[in-house]
Amino acid sequence: MIKFLVSLGLIFFTSFFQSQDFQYSDPEDEGFSIERLERIAPVIQKYIDEDLTPGVLTAIMRNEKIIYLETQGYMDVKEKKPLKENTIFRIASMTKPIASVALMILWEEGNFQLNDPVSKFIPAFSETKVSTTSDASGKTGDLVEPKREITIRDMLTHTAGLANSYIGNKDAYRKAMYQPRPKSNSEQINRLAKLALNYHPGEQWQYSAATSVVGHLVEIISGKSLDVFLKERLFDPLDMPDTHFYLDNTKGGRLAAQYTPGKDKKIKLQDPGSEKSRWITSPRNIFSGSGGLVSTARDYLRFQQMILNKGQLNGVRILAPSTVSLMLENHTGNLPIWLTGPGTGFGLGYGIIVDRGKSGSPLSEGSAYWGGAYCTISWIDREKNLVGLLMTQVRPYTHINLRRDFQVMTYQSIVD
């Protein structure tokens, strides 16, 4: 856990983080109030004490320096195993920004344009029709030709019109996509292409498996499976050794257990942190750009800091500054972003704050963020030169305000 030594104006971190290239700074030197930072832990602890979440890691970086790091609660509640700084978390949809960066690496190398049709690389999408009733099965209502083809940018921004598990015929979607379990990314994406679209490309924003298509485009264009491409072009260059789609073992017991709320909303075990975890036992044939990675706080902070640094970290350049800037623009105009609400837009792989007043968010306008299904979240605030990160393992989490509370507590601590 973080230690404040106010009399010395110093912060001491565990040896794990001290040994991993991060710089550290007294919060007051970076515009934070130590007294106000101390408000964060009690707010987080309340969720743990009420058995709403097992344990929580929170971190704040500013000016490329860690000014706050706290671990609270457990990575395994039954065993009373404390959450640690090097705990490995399931990050789910926080995979999406990573897969999107991977595709933009290939964009920079001249392999495609954002307005190219997806069918140029995945021919099955040239046959995709639009359902007038948002029926993924294609059996109800009239099927019509799309007004235009789905573009690669549509996939990056969730405006492709894809059938999904949130809106429309959700049962037909799940059956088509997962029964039987697909044996490869290619098989699953070709199933998706056969489903009727919920709407014409570009006309609505709907959360979907679009980033799975992004991941498969990486495979087709690069000629490598997504896991290999990410390792070679992102994880190894950025020194992210604990970020994987699957684990061979618990990495020395560092994999956290994952929980779900029961009828009383108190957590119960869903996936253990042991060798029985499905991240260890699952068939290893699907590498989804939409989700599926595990990672540590250190690894994800490095990835986010690279984005905040306009595409480079410690002398390693992943993307050009202009590419990062393009990714963090709002690409969806005034389309309603129903998942995150008013005042938000969507870039190439990230949600974007476009109006602080309408969103009710403390993040600066232009900030980029995304979270995962296990209640993880990270954001980049370019105006404040700040990265925030919260890691925990509870799904679903819509009954708690843990992520928003941490964001509010972060910004109330900034006094410069």
Side-chain angles (χ1 to χ4, degrees):
M1 297 174 66
I2 196 168
K3 306 295 183 186
F4 289 104
L5 298 185
V6 178
S7 62
L8 297 178
L10 298 174
I11 296 182
F12 286 81
F13 294 85
T14 65
S15 59
F16 171 76
F17 265 83
Q18 285 176 335
S19 67
Q20 303 295 330
D21 312 330
F22 281 118
Q23 296 182 42
Y24 309 96
S25 182
D26 182 332
E28 293 181 340
D29 290 342
E30 307 303 330
F32 282 80
S33 160
I34 289 178
E35 180 182 2
R36 283 175 168 265
L37 281 170
E38 289 176 335
R39 295 175 177 177
I40 298 175
V43 172
I44 301 297
Q45 191 63 42
K46 184 178 179 181
Y47 287 99
I48 297 170
D49 292 344
E50 293 179 1
D51 292 327
L52 297 174
T53 192
V56 182
L57 182 151
T58 45
I60 305 168
M61 293 185 70
R62 195 177 198 194
N63 301 325
E64 209 165 347
K65 301 170 185 175
I66 294 181
I67 61 93
Y68 184 88
L69 173 67
E70 179 88 19
T71 57
Q72 299 172 247
Y74 300 105
M75 56 186 294
D76 187 308
V77 175
K78 183 178 180 180
E79 300 298 325
K80 296 192 181 301
K81 188 175 180 180
L83 192 70
K84 297 180 179 180
E85 291 89 345
N86 64 349
T87 294
I88 295 172
F89 299 88
R90 301 154 190 79
I91 64 170
S93 286
M94 281 167 59
T95 304
K96 288 180 171 68
I98 292 175
S100 300
V101 165
L103 188 58
M104 294 306 289
I105 290 173
L106 295 169
W107 177 75
E108 285 194 336
E109 294 175 353
N111 290 288
F112 65 92
Q113 292 300 316
L114 292 173
N115 288 329
D116 281 348
V118 175
S119 63
K120 180 178 179 179
F121 300 96
I122 308 175
F125 279 104
S126 66
E127 303 296 326
T128 306
K129 301 295 188 291
V130 180
S131 170
T132 58
T133 58
S134 298
D135 178 20
S137 68
K139 295 179 181 179
T140 303
D142 296 328
L143 296 182
V144 299
E145 293 291 332
K147 295 178 183 178
R148 64 166 174 80
E149 285 208 58
I150 301 168
T151 66
I152 292 175
R153 185 165 75 159
D154 290 331
M155 291 298 183
L156 285 161
T157 59
H158 292 282
T159 58
L162 298 179
N164 58 71
S165 61
Y166 302 91
I167 295 174
N169 193 325
K170 296 175 280 189
D171 291 338
Y173 169 83
R174 293 189 185 104
K175 182 177 180 180
M177 292 290 285
Y178 302 108
Q179 299 175 15
R181 189 182 190 276
K183 296 179 181 179
S184 67
N185 284 353
S186 178
E187 180 183 341
Q188 187 170 54
I189 298 310
N190 277 278
R191 289 186 194 180
L192 181 61
K194 292 177 181 178
L195 298 176
L197 300 180
N198 279 355
Y199 57 92
H200 290 279
E203 292 191 353
Q204 291 185 38
W205 186 95
Q206 281 188 22
Y207 200 46
S208 70
T211 320
S212 294
V213 180
V214 167
H216 190 42
L217 285 169
V218 171
E219 295 180 319
I220 292 170
I221 295 169
S222 71
K224 299 178 179 180
S225 63
L226 184 60
D227 62 324
V228 171
F229 186 89
L230 292 180
K231 184 177 189 303
E232 292 179 353
R233 301 300 299 273
L234 278 172
F235 302 155
D236 285 351
L238 292 177
D239 188 18
M240 297 169 61
D242 289 322
T243 306
H244 308 276
F245 279 105
Y246 301 102
L247 294 172
D248 293 327
N249 52 58
T250 63
K251 283 209 166 188
R254 292 193 289 131
L255 177 64
Q258 181 255 312
Y259 296 82
T260 190
K263 291 182 179 180
D264 58 0
K265 297 186 179 180
K266 295 184 183 298
I267 55 172
K268 60 182 181 179
L269 184 67
Q270 188 168 52
D271 186 64
S274 69
E275 305 287 344
K276 296 180 179 180
S277 169
R278 66 187 180 95
W279 264 259
I280 297 173
T281 61
S282 288
R284 303 182 179 209
N285 51 12
I286 298 291
F287 305 102
S288 173
S290 288
L293 286 174
V294 298
S295 190
T296 58
R298 175 192 176 272
D299 279 13
Y300 210 83
L301 285 171
R302 292 182 69 80
F303 173 76
Q304 293 285 71
Q305 189 64 53
M306 178 273 292
I307 297 294
L308 187 57
N309 288 354
K310 301 179 181 179
Q312 68 85 28
L313 182 71
N314 293 346
V316 175
R317 180 158 294 283
I318 303 298
L319 293 172
S322 60
T323 302
V324 173
S325 177
L326 178 63
M327 292 185 69
L328 304 187
E329 294 288 338
N330 175 31
H331 286 251
T332 55
N334 295 321
L335 291 179
I337 312 298
W338 63 262
L339 185 63
T340 52
T344 63
F346 208 84
L348 304 181
Y350 282 95
I352 308 294
I353 299 295
V354 296
D355 188 317
R356 294 183 75 224
K358 289 182 179 179
S359 70
S361 171
L363 279 62
S364 304
E365 289 181 4
S367 293
Y369 63 94
W370 207 244
Y374 302 104
C375 199
T376 56
I377 194 168
S378 183
W379 74 93
I380 300 163
D381 189 322
R382 290 176 286 174
E383 179 181 309
K384 302 291 187 185
N385 202 20
L386 180 148
V387 177
L389 175 71
L390 181 147
M391 297 287 221
T392 188
Q393 298 284 258
V394 59
R395 176 182 186 178
Y397 60 87
T398 52
H399 58 294
I400 57 178
N401 290 320
L402 180 62
R403 303 195 309 187
R404 276 292 183 111
D405 284 353
F406 174 56
Q407 290 179 330
V408 171
M409 301 308 293
T410 296
Y411 284 81
Q412 62 86 35
S413 303
I414 302 173
V415 294
D416 66 354

